Amino acid sequence: MCSLSFFAFLFSGSSAAFGASDELKDWTLRKDGEKTSYKVTVPCTVAGALNEAGVFGENVLDEDRYSKLDKTPFDSPWIYTTTFKTRKGLRHVLRFDGLNYYADVELNGILIASADTTFGTFSVREFDVTSLVKGTNRLKVTLRRAVDGDLNHGYVDWNPRAIDESMGIIRPVTLITTPDVEVQDVFVNPFVNPQDFSRADIEVVTTLVNRSSKPVKGTLRAKWDDGGAFEEEVEIPASASKEIRVRKTIENPRIWWTREMGSPEMYHIDVEFAKGKTVSHSRGADFGIRKIEGIIDGYGHRLFILNGRKVLVKAGGWTDDIFMQDTPETLRAQLDMVCDMGLNCIRFENIWGKDDYVYDLCDRMGILTMVGWSCQWEWKSYCGIPETRGYGCINTPETEKLAVRYFRDQIIRLRNHPSMICWLTGSDRIPNERLERQYLALYEKLEYRPYVCSAKGLTSLAGPSGMKMEGPYEYVGPDYWYIDTQRGGAYGFNTETGPGLNIPQLESVRRMVGESHLWPQDKNWGYHCTASSSNMNTTEFQVKSMIGLYGKAHNLEDYMYRAHAMDYNSERAMFEAFRCNLPRTTGIVQWMLNSAWPSIYWQLYDWYGIPTAGYYGVKKACKPVQLVYNYGDGSVYAVNDAVPSARINAVLRVYDASCRLVREESRTVTSLEREPLKVFGDISGPCYVFLEFTVDGKKEYNAYSVAGSNNVYDWKHADWWGVNIQKYANLSFVCALPKASVKMEVSKVAGGYDVTLINEADVISYQNILKALDSGGNLIPGTFWEDNFLALRPRESRTVHCTLPEGCSEAKITLSGWNIERII
């Protein structure tokens, strides 16, 4: 939010600006009854602040240290204190965007809000404190944590519970200053005709609040990029609010697209209320011009349409850091990885973020977002309230009232973001009819995006969700996504699914489970699985599948290679299958994108910022144009859901289990957007399939190990978490690969390295893993490999580019591989 003096400069005729919006960031924090205090930057949780101060010791999330932390200090209230200065003759308003959970707010020793009415994590509150302020003021906020039955933030079973239940001032606190009128909110509603991008309309909706005891007349002024502007004469009654709507046409607008479809063009608008040449207050907002639709297609599935073009949503599920200690730098690093993988969407199952920065990044980077309520409030075991069948836990007048307030405040907070494509008011359930009527009434007034009642295949007053949530959440083979037609397979919109355990790279595993716990696997491995009490809390299911596919791992190195192969192959196939099965597919959300703490489950990159093998599988699958192997029919397809058409020069090479070339075939085809095209057929294993193709002058690769037959699944006994495999595909031939010698040549180039790998053997070199290490032998976060975990044909040479993070000029490049005997 910009200061008023800056706005006054922008608007011609404005000579004085009395209003301002200043964020109060510098606070002290102490436990009630104790003298020890900590300097903190708000927003922050109590536990996050203590961790930042080193109270918990170093690396508290590694090994089993977090489980040993004492939770009792968080049973007591904690007190945040800050000071600020004010000027005489002006109105002063304190705005709290997020207090968690029960809050007593005092200003200069006077209680202005008490915990019996001031509670709830997603409520936005403003208090006019004009009568209480002095020259220098002391603001004190006393907080108590949420307890069972409260509608709090939550990590469900994805990660452990926050040790303090995320208690704290978790969103900004702002001092608003004005002589009389506050610009409380600015919303820009775009109207786009996809058949004619030469013009578009915007409706600017401004909420003005008169903080004085007299009616105020003045001018509402707005300016936005590319020269747009308007002025409107307004009168606001005493101590009242007024909503002003102004609709304007923009010629030749810059249209917002996802990064795969075009450019994510953004606008900025500044709105001020002035009396003559004196500016009372102003507010800025970023917005995008685009049209988003969410229809139920002919197959009964939810389909999103952006500016008239159908979108296959390729997403991951987001979680905040367990201490809510994400920074602008860590958020940007994560979204850079989202883009590097070729994903086009993030699902926020919760209103995550301690400010709007992650959503701002999604806007600017062209990443779609899905937001909504978490299943945290739909299960008694997480929420602490008895469930009502089908509707979850929000079913009393008190909880419904709070949920409706949350809904209103968060819609208003987030509705300018063009990246947002929908709201989900339910996850595993739907709202009860009484609650949903209130949601829908608010939504009709405040929002325009598609409303979705649930992430599951349910129907409410609003109609069918068009979604599905049928798992799996545990390991399935790459063939699953092609052959399943009843549960999580490649049809419809799957809002959360994945192959379960996404084992990090060894350097991360060493840190999180501890050197002495590496092998054989023990309770520390299980501790870093999910927090579910029923499933996915050990590696047992994955190990069982590993033995069925490859045979028993004999040591840690053996286990890691096999785990990486399972992760890479199934993640890749999942996204490829949803591309290959268009138009019956509309969306896929990998569960999950990231982790709140060091974990070995449900992540494409780990808590330390290091990609998993699955990361590179997803990156391979989501290339704008790609050749993919279909495990369902044994054919190769060209897929393209990004460009109108692409000319592909394709080469297929098939090697038998003994690494002998048994088939080589070339073909040139034209791949059209959203029209999967069979290029090669009749491929049967056991074999290795190598695909090589050129598009737009760039050569691309893809490679598969294909068993003689697919897995046989126990469909009759499938459960919510997944399905057991009755008979495993036999991949033992991969374990029997002869040893290979690979030559590695490393060339320093601007920003990183070019690494050339030369397979000097007459056999396939499988799963070649490249790493960039710092001087301490740790993987360097923020390193981007053009390709990784790759296979090389006999005598093949491949050059892979490595981009180092900004500020890092040197790294040690290493290579390891499934069957590498010698690195030259």
Side-chain angles (χ1 to χ4, degrees), residues 318 325-335 337 361 605:
W318 181 274
Q325 286 187 297
D326 288 311
T327 66
E329 293 75 21
T330 62
L331 292 173
R332 178 58 194 247
Q334 292 186 72
L335 294 200
M337 287 191 278
L361 280 177
Y605 50 86

Side-chain angles (χ1 to χ4, degrees), residues 11-29:
F11 289 101
S12 59
S14 298
S15 59
F18 289 103
S21 297
D22 300 314
E23 194 172 327
L24 306 180
K25 294 186 176 182
D26 298 323
W27 297 65
T28 59
L29 173 66

Side-chain angles (χ1 to χ4, degrees), residues 162-180:
I163 191 174
D164 61 346
E165 299 296 334
S166 302
M167 170 172 52
I169 302 178
I170 63 169
R171 298 229 168 98
V173 179
T174 307
L175 175 66
I176 299 166
T177 304
T178 175
D180 39 43

Side-chain angles (χ1 to χ4, degrees), residues 464-482:
S465 71
M467 304 295 201
K468 70 172 183 178
M469 188 195 295
E470 300 295 336
Y473 300 90
E474 273 285 19
Y475 177 78
V476 290
D479 51 13
Y480 171 93
W481 310 104
Y482 288 94

Side-chain angles (χ1 to χ4, degrees), residues 546-615:
M546 181 184 294
I547 293 171
L549 294 168
Y550 295 106
K552 185 178 180 180
H554 301 293
N555 52 46
L556 177 63
E557 181 183 51
D558 207 11
Y559 169 80
M560 293 297 293
Y561 282 130
R562 297 177 191 203
H564 288 326
M566 293 168 68
D567 184 18
Y568 182 103
N569 291 333
S570 197
E571 288 286 5
R572 176 181 58 176
M574 181 174 74
F575 282 91
E576 289 180 343
F578 272 76
R579 297 183 72 186
C580 199
N581 281 5
L582 283 166
R584 293 189 65 91
T585 54
T586 58
I588 173 68
V589 183
Q590 152 65 18
W591 203 252
M592 298 178 68
L593 174 69
N594 60 353
S595 293
W597 79 314
S599 174
I600 59 177
Y601 253 89
W602 297 347
Q603 61 195 350
L604 294 178
Y605 50 86
D606 65 31
W607 185 80
Y608 307 109
I610 304 300
T612 62
Y615 174 105

